[in-house]
Amino acid sequence: MDTFAEPYTRAGDDISLDSVRDHVRTLEARHKANGVQLSGRIIHVCHYLPVTCTITSTATRDGILSPPPTPPRILSDVPPSPSDEIPQISLPTQPERWKLAPRYGHSAMTSGIRSLSLTHEQLILGWTGDILSPAGPPDGNDADVNPSTGERIPSVRDRIPSSRISQEDKDALDVELAHYTDKNALEPETSKPITYLPLWMEDNVAHGHYDGYCKQTLWPLFHYLLWQDVATEHASADANYEYYEQANQAFANRLASVLKPGDLVWVHDYHLLLVPRMLRNAMHSGAVSGVGGENGGDVIIGLFVHTPFPSSEVFRCLPRRKEILDGMLGANLICFQTYSYTRHFTSTCVRVCGYETTSKGATTTSTSASRGASVVPRSATGTGVGSTRGASLTRRGTNVKGGAGVEKYVGIDVQGHVAAVTHCPVGVDAERVARDTLRPGVQPKLEALRALYADKKIIVGRDKLDVVKGVLQKLRAFEKLLHDYPEWQRKVVLIQVTSPALTDSPKLERQVSELVAHINGEYGSLDFIPVHHYHQTLRKDEFYALLSAADLGVITPLRDGMNTTSMEFVIAQERTKRSPLVLSEFMGISQHMADALQVNPWDLGDVAAAMNRGLVMSEDEKASRHAALHSVVTTHTSHTWAAVLAKMLLSQINGQNTARQTPYIPRDNLKELYDNAGKRLFLFDYDGTLTPIVKMPSMALPSPDALTALAKLSSDPNNIVYIVSGRDQAFLEEHLGHLPRLGMSAEHGGFIRSPDSAVWMNFTASLDMSWMEEVAEIFRYYTERTTGSHIEMKKSSITWHYRSTDPEWGQFQCRQCQDLLENNVVPKRPIEVLVGKKNLEVRPIAVNKGEIVKRILYQNPEVEFIFCAGDDKTDEDMFRALLLFPPSSIGKATMEPPLSVMLVDNTKEHSDVELAVSPEGVFTTAVGHSSKRTLASWHVTTPEEVVEHMLFLVGETPQGEDLKGYL
């Protein structure tokens, strides 16, 4: 972890919107020139459609009939036209069936998405929301009003159950949405189309998902509250998860049905954290028509989390923590509002799931690259396969070559699939907000406020009535202002507007009302009220008039992501008083707006002092601070945010599409060549290949299916089967020694035991092994200082394990130890240092898995079929040894006597041998994701798939739990 004070925006992102769009066009042109298929579409997956749907007439399932259709919809009633190739149903002729209006809320995200229509065709997939009826409130009272449109928001009694919406109505909605345009959005005529894709869900699933798991479990957790703080006393953190999973699967299925090769997919927010993995699983299984196949590499998936992300110690309280994290890690790019949220997420993946971090390169343009920061150092081990050396917890910078840059992101490695993690803050649509402040209705209300409080200072606060918004703490701080600075009594008023939250909290509403009454009783009088509390949703004119009239804005949530009210306050103040702003330091926006007066909302004295400072601030300081804030707010807007997201997502194509993709092993072809071969050779790594990686190495036991596969394969006299492992002889004999025809190689090629033999051959007997004590002393030094680490002494190598240590401390100590060995021991000794999965191993240079594979093949040149599987960096030596044929070779290969043969038997002369195997008969197989850097020709995703393929060759089926691959 390099720093806790990363900049809010990064080099290359703080430039003009036109420049970012130019970068996007340059990236797309470069990808297309490289043969990468791009569809020109961006698909946004949001919880809601940005449209409210009100049905005005319907043929519902309970027998209520819709008005007679005109013209008739029954095709037999309509005379056929000779020119009609496909009969069309005239649904658009009934515009009164659905009434569509912009949905209130998430305006920054929606405006950012719409701005991308200048450069890309877009699809917005979202839940329809509750279907509304146009009926008015039965009691005659005014209902809530949409501030954007001034229209009434129907109450619960106006909502129609989804079960009553007929398929005919749903089809009609599709037609209405196809013609829908937001009248409040100023879209140029050159804009590309935006298609709205409604998702229909059963009411119990939709509300169990949103009102249940999202609002009662995830929302509190992400804002540093546990669920019992906001729900009932008997709240369960696991309640409603089944609805969350069902809803996410519904989104993934709907998304899969519209995907095309070359699409860019952005999944938005915490409601849909499982969708990336579900979509990738669908692509991997071939369920998405024309996309992905077995490796799912034709669609790039991004996930943007608009909320905060908590520290690992808070997140680990979630019972479904691994499911949520794995769902997120199905994306190619995971983006948060701030650097601190990315740091929390990365730490959580490492600490809770045990995943490793690595660096991930991404394509960038030369202009962006030249503005980069420092470059992540290369891995000291060269290829970087399986290495985490040089990783950092931020986007670090670029190498520039030939006009293109390779930008480094931190990545989370999950079975070879690396998900990049970064941050990009959301802004507001500054131009739209500026226009709204000039609406005709704003000025009269502004003058009325000034007249009402002509001799008073006005402090304005506007928050949702939610426990995380800190309204109670703000009121107490205002009370402290009046107490500690009595000169402000009767001279300042607080106008606090609390808009109704999506989940009502009567207890919080009562507490706020009681505190307001207390302050007014203590410091008010018959002719003066210090706190004016309005629990309502303001109309747009009222809202901007209030912001414009303020002498001080106070926005102090206890925890918040990107609070847009603060930005709107700055823009509204541009034409009036240019008043200062008090902001909570626990907002995602706080680093962005450094010229605001930042406070700890829990420190009431600090907040009161900041209020006082803002009220007495000089005009010059106000102007200076406001100018800086206004520049930030109008530069990094929602449009810039959206363009930067598109740029970052396109940059991921460097590692995902233009790099070599390892194809999934073809099962049928494998079976055919196996059956036709006379002699066959199987070479298996053990940990991570036949058994999953576990925290305690001693617990990595072979499954019954793995034992069955090995027994069946080794019992065939035409098969030669070897386990080529880093384990010692004792472990292999204990768990696999009962298979007499199974060959074994221990300690990464240091020892070998042939099939039908009990004698181990030592390849290190003639080597200088005096270095082991020197290395052991260094390892002991780090073991004493790294709690949870231990040393594994073998006859030919020595390994330091740190899987059970604190992840970050263990990795730091590993790097320190590696530096010490490479700088002080390796230059003087014939050894090499290997960085494995949570371990550091030192072994002789002459001993490795590649040499043992060469020996086995040299002694069995008649084999016509070779299957070799491994998952680790040490297994790349095996894959390298099996690169027997030059490209496009169709002839036979010959092999020179390997060193492993010469070391043991140097008494006779050895000659070259001709191999019987052909290029198509060699199946080197890496265990992990298709994007994993490897010398192998094929890949499978998990150890279970290796076993399944071996059982398939011998005509068996897995008997254990069917564990599907991750991706």
Side-chain angles (χ1 to χ4, degrees):
M1 199 170 297
D2 296 284
T3 175
F4 286 85
E6 283 291 311
Y8 190 74
T9 55
R10 298 162 307 272
D13 293 347
D14 54 350
I15 54 181
S16 71
L17 176 59
D18 289 338
S19 297
V20 178
R21 287 173 174 165
D22 287 341
H23 290 175
V24 170
R25 283 187 281 268
T26 301
L27 280 171
E28 290 182 325
R30 182 176 298 136
H31 289 324
K32 291 178 180 177
N34 290 333
V36 178
Q37 184 175 6
L38 293 176
S39 67
R41 304 196 313 173
I42 300 179
I43 304 179
H44 298 272
V45 190
C46 310
H47 174 234
Y48 281 115
L49 283 177
V51 180
T52 59
C53 305
T54 303
I55 192 165
T56 58
S57 63
T58 178
T60 56
R61 296 178 183 175
D62 57 0
I64 302 176
L65 300 178
S66 60
T70 305
R73 288 202 195 94
I74 303 175
L75 295 180
S76 60
D77 294 346
V78 182
S81 170
S83 62
D84 289 343
E85 295 182 2
I86 301 175
Q88 299 293 324
I89 298 175
S90 303
L91 291 178
T93 61
Q94 295 205 25
E96 296 301 322
R97 174 169 289 205
W98 289 95
K99 183 176 182 182
L100 306 180
R103 185 180 297 278
Y104 176 58
H106 304 290
S107 58
M109 180 185 75
T110 302
S111 68
I113 290 174
R114 287 203 174 103
S115 70
L116 289 173
S117 60
L118 283 172
T119 55
H120 293 82
E121 178 186 351
Q122 295 191 97
L123 287 77
I124 302 178
L125 167 61
W127 177 44
T128 59
D130 288 311
I131 300 302
L132 307 177
S133 164
D139 55 8
N141 296 327
D142 290 335
D144 291 332
V145 173
N146 186 324
S148 302
T149 64
E151 296 179 353
R152 184 185 62 82
I153 300 175
S155 67
V156 175
R157 286 170 290 187
D158 301 328
R159 298 169 186 168
I160 299 176
S162 61
S163 58
R164 290 181 54 195
I165 306 299
S166 67
Q167 185 59 48
E168 190 178 11
D169 293 329
K170 294 177 182 179
D171 294 340
L173 178 60
D174 289 338
V175 174
E176 294 291 341
L177 286 171
H179 297 86
Y180 173 76
T181 55
D182 184 358
K183 297 178 181 178
N184 295 326
L186 299 179
E187 298 176 358
E189 295 181 359
T190 57
S191 294
K192 297 187 178 182
I194 299 177
T195 303
Y196 298 94
L197 301 174
L199 175 69
W200 296 89
M201 290 191 288
E202 295 296 327
D203 291 338
N204 63 326
V205 174
H207 290 282
H209 162 247
Y210 182 66
D211 300 325
Y213 199 74
C214 288
K215 283 303 178 182
Q216 295 181 19
T217 299
L218 292 182
W219 173 268
L221 182 78
F222 284 6
H223 290 80
Y224 286 78
L225 298 170
L226 296 183
W227 29 92
Q228 63 263 29
D229 296 330
V230 295
T232 66
E233 295 180 0
H234 305 289
S236 169
D238 215 23
N240 298 303
Y241 178 78
E242 60 178 310
Y243 296 123
Y244 186 82
E245 188 174 36
Q246 290 174 26
N248 276 252
Q249 189 64 63
F251 274 93
N253 294 343
R254 184 73 171 94
L255 176 58
S257 69
V258 298
L259 276 181
K260 294 181 180 178
D263 281 344
L264 302 180
V265 177
W266 265 115
V267 181
H268 289 272
D269 222 359
Y270 69 103
H271 316 87
L272 305 172
L273 299 180
L274 302 181
V275 168
R277 177 183 177 179
M278 289 174 170
L279 178 61
R280 195 164 294 282
N281 281 341
M283 291 192 296
H284 172 68
S285 65
V288 184
S289 176
V291 175
E294 301 229 54
N295 60 24
D298 297 328
V299 172
I300 306 299
I301 305 171
L303 170 66
F304 191 91
V305 182
H306 293 258
T307 63
F309 195 89
S311 71
S312 61
E313 291 304 303
V314 173
F315 189 87
R316 72 187 313 136
C317 297
L318 184 66
R320 299 287 183 164
R321 58 197 185 184
K322 191 174 189 304
E323 290 90 336
I324 296 295
L325 291 175
D326 283 345
M328 299 173 71
L329 291 168
N332 299 95
L333 178 68
I334 304 169
C335 195
F336 295 90
Q337 297 273 12
T338 72
Y339 167 72
S340 63
Y341 301 161
T342 69
R343 183 165 51 82
H344 290 162
F345 175 76
T346 304
S347 178
T348 300
C349 292
V350 171
R351 292 178 175 276
V352 175
C353 292
Y355 297 143
E356 296 188 4
T357 61
T358 184
S359 60
K360 181 176 182 180
T363 301
T364 184
T365 59
S366 57
T367 303
S368 175
S370 65
R371 298 172 63 94
S374 60
V375 177
V376 174
R378 262 181 54 189
S379 170
T381 56
T383 64
V385 179
S387 172
T388 59
R389 187 168 172 77
S392 65
L393 296 186
T394 180
R395 210 171 80 170
R396 297 297 302 161
T398 56
N399 292 320
V400 180
K401 183 177 180 180
V406 177
E407 198 160 20
K408 293 293 185 180
Y409 291 78
V410 63
I412 308 298
D413 189 337
V414 184
Q415 296 182 351
H417 169 71
V418 178
V421 184
T422 188
H423 69 283
C424 179
V426 179
V428 294
D429 187 346
E431 293 183 2
R432 179 190 61 78
V433 173
R435 288 197 307 269
D436 287 341
T437 61
L438 300 177
R439 289 163 61 104
V442 173
Q443 189 63 30
K445 293 179 175 61
L446 173 59
E447 292 173 358
L449 285 170
R450 286 174 173 170
L452 185 61
Y453 303 104
D455 57 343
K456 305 290 189 300
K457 292 283 188 179
I458 303 174
I459 300 176
V460 168
R462 187 261 191 176
D463 309 271
K464 287 183 179 178
L465 190 61
D466 193 307
V467 67
V468 302
K469 299 301 182 180
V471 176
L472 284 173
Q473 288 76 11
K474 183 194 302 186
L475 291 171
R476 293 187 181 115
F478 180 71
E479 181 182 15
K480 191 163 183 61
L481 170 74
L482 299 179
H483 178 272
D484 293 353
Y485 304 91
E487 63 271 22
W488 288 116
Q489 295 180 18
R490 300 183 65 83
K491 295 182 179 179
V492 63
V493 295
L494 170 63
I495 302 177
Q496 175 63 51
V497 179
T498 55
S499 57
L502 293 175
T503 52
D504 294 333
S505 177
K507 178 181 178 182
L508 179 60
E509 186 175 353
R510 185 182 69 253
Q511 289 175 326
V512 169
S513 298
E514 290 174 351
L515 184 54
V516 168
H518 165 73
I519 297 172
N520 288 337
E522 186 73 21
Y523 296 97
S525 61
L526 291 175
D527 60 345
F528 175 72
I529 300 175
V531 180
H532 297 254
H533 175 228
Y534 302 95
H535 182 51
Q536 64 186 69
T537 301
L538 295 180
R539 293 176 181 269
K540 190 175 281 190
D541 293 350
E542 296 172 330
F543 175 62
Y544 287 115
L546 184 61
L547 295 186
S548 301
D551 294 287
L552 180 67
V554 180
I555 304 171
T556 53
L558 307 180
R559 188 73 58 171
D560 209 352
M562 199 55 49
N563 188 296
T564 57
T565 301
S566 55
M567 303 187 212
E568 292 168 320
F569 177 88
V570 171
I571 296 173
Q573 285 286 324
E574 173 69 8
R575 297 178 180 274
T576 53
K577 302 179 180 179
R578 303 189 175 185
S579 300
L581 185 61
V582 176
L583 288 184
S584 166
E585 65 185 51
F586 299 126
M587 300 167 62
I589 201 173
S590 58
Q591 288 180 316
H592 193 25
M593 305 183 74
D595 285 277
L597 302 175
Q598 298 192 13
V599 296
N600 176 357
W602 296 98
D603 186 346
L604 304 184
D606 184 29
V607 179
M611 290 180 179
N612 178 67
R613 181 182 175 187
L615 293 172
V616 300
M617 187 176 290
S618 68
E619 293 300 321
D620 289 343
E621 186 178 357
K622 285 182 183 179
S624 174
R625 287 178 176 271
H626 174 82
L629 291 174
H630 190 266
S631 175
V632 169
V633 170
T634 55
T635 300
H636 199 90
T637 65
S638 59
H639 294 191
T640 313
W641 163 77
V644 169
L645 286 188
K647 183 186 77 171
M648 291 194 298
L649 204 53
L650 284 166
S651 72
Q652 298 304 310
I653 296 177
N654 172 65
Q656 182 70 12
N657 286 61
T658 62
R660 175 178 178 271
Q661 291 287 295
T662 309
Y664 196 83
I665 190 166
R667 176 180 289 211
D668 293 337
N669 189 33
L670 180 74
K671 175 68 170 171
E672 180 183 358
L673 290 170
Y674 172 85
D675 291 339
N676 294 335
K679 203 74 173 178
R680 316 174 190 102
L681 174 61
F682 290 87
L683 304 161
F684 299 102
D685 173 42
Y686 183 76
D687 291 285
T689 301
L690 292 178
T691 63
I693 297 293
V694 294
K695 194 164 188 177
M696 294 297 294
S698 60
M699 299 303 294
L701 305 180
S703 67
D705 283 338
L707 292 175
T708 299
L710 292 175
K712 290 281 187 179
L713 287 172
S714 61
S715 64
D716 188 331
N718 292 325
N719 293 342
I720 303 168
V721 185
Y722 272 88
I723 301 296
V724 186
S725 174
R727 295 283 189 159
D728 60 22
Q729 300 149 272
F731 181 92
L732 294 179
E733 286 186 332
E734 178 185 357
H735 297 290
L736 302 172
H738 63 286
L739 301 173
R741 297 204 69 255
L742 180 66
M744 303 180 193
S745 174
E747 301 190 21
H748 298 298
F751 298 85
I752 188 171
R753 194 189 85 171
S754 301
D756 294 320
S757 172
V759 179
W760 287 90
M761 188 177 297
N762 184 0
F763 291 101
T764 64
S766 59
L767 301 178
D768 177 13
M769 304 296 290
S770 61
W771 54 266
M772 289 192 71
E773 182 54 37
E774 185 178 358
V775 172
E777 184 62 30
I778 294 174
F779 280 172
R780 282 193 288 269
Y781 173 86
Y782 282 94
T783 302
E784 292 171 358
R785 289 158 177 78
T786 313
T787 302
S789 65
H790 68 278
I791 302 171
E792 182 183 6
M793 294 289 297
K794 304 175 186 176
K795 295 178 181 179
S796 65
S797 65
I798 179 171
T799 306
W800 183 66
H801 295 275
Y802 62 94
R803 186 170 294 276
S804 298
T805 68
D806 178 271
E808 291 167 6
W809 176 242
Q811 188 177 65
F812 173 79
Q813 290 289 76
C814 176
R815 293 174 181 173
Q816 296 296 308
C817 184
Q818 182 184 0
D819 286 339
L820 178 61
L821 290 169
E822 290 177 341
N823 294 325
N824 294 280
V825 182
V826 171
K828 301 179 293 183
R829 298 285 194 169
I831 59 175
E832 62 180 339
V833 180
L834 300 176
V835 180
K837 294 180 179 178
K838 301 292 185 181
N839 64 67
L840 195 63
E841 181 173 9
V842 181
R843 70 183 186 187
I845 290 177
V847 175
N848 59 64
K849 291 184 177 183
E851 284 299 320
I852 214 67
V853 167
K854 290 178 182 178
R855 175 186 173 86
I856 296 170
L857 188 56
Y858 182 82
Q859 294 178 337
N860 299 276
E862 70 278 9
V863 298
E864 300 173 349
F865 174 94
I866 301 174
F867 181 88
C868 177
D871 74 304
D872 206 345
K873 181 183 177 182
T874 59
D875 301 316
E876 295 297 314
D877 293 331
M878 293 198 295
F879 302 150
R880 187 178 291 107
L882 292 173
L883 295 174
L884 305 170
F885 303 91
S888 304
S889 174
I890 58 174
K892 296 294 184 180
T894 58
M895 174 177 279
E896 298 177 350
L899 180 62
S900 53
V901 172
M902 306 292 289
L903 280 175
V904 176
D905 189 2
N906 56 7
T907 59
K908 63 179 182 180
E909 188 173 334
H910 299 277
S911 60
D912 295 354
V913 297
E914 184 177 87
L915 303 179
V917 70
S918 59
E920 61 270 15
V922 180
F923 290 86
T924 50
T925 307
V927 181
H929 189 261
S930 61
S931 61
K932 181 179 183 178
R933 289 180 293 175
T934 180
L935 296 173
S937 300
W938 308 99
H939 96 281
V940 295
T941 308
T942 65
E944 290 79 12
E945 292 177 35
V946 175
V947 175
E948 288 170 10
H949 280 75
M950 296 306 100
L951 290 173
F952 174 71
L953 292 182
V954 296
E956 298 284 340
T957 56
Q959 300 301 311
E961 183 180 358
D962 183 18
L963 297 175
K964 296 182 179 179
Y966 174 75
L967 299 174

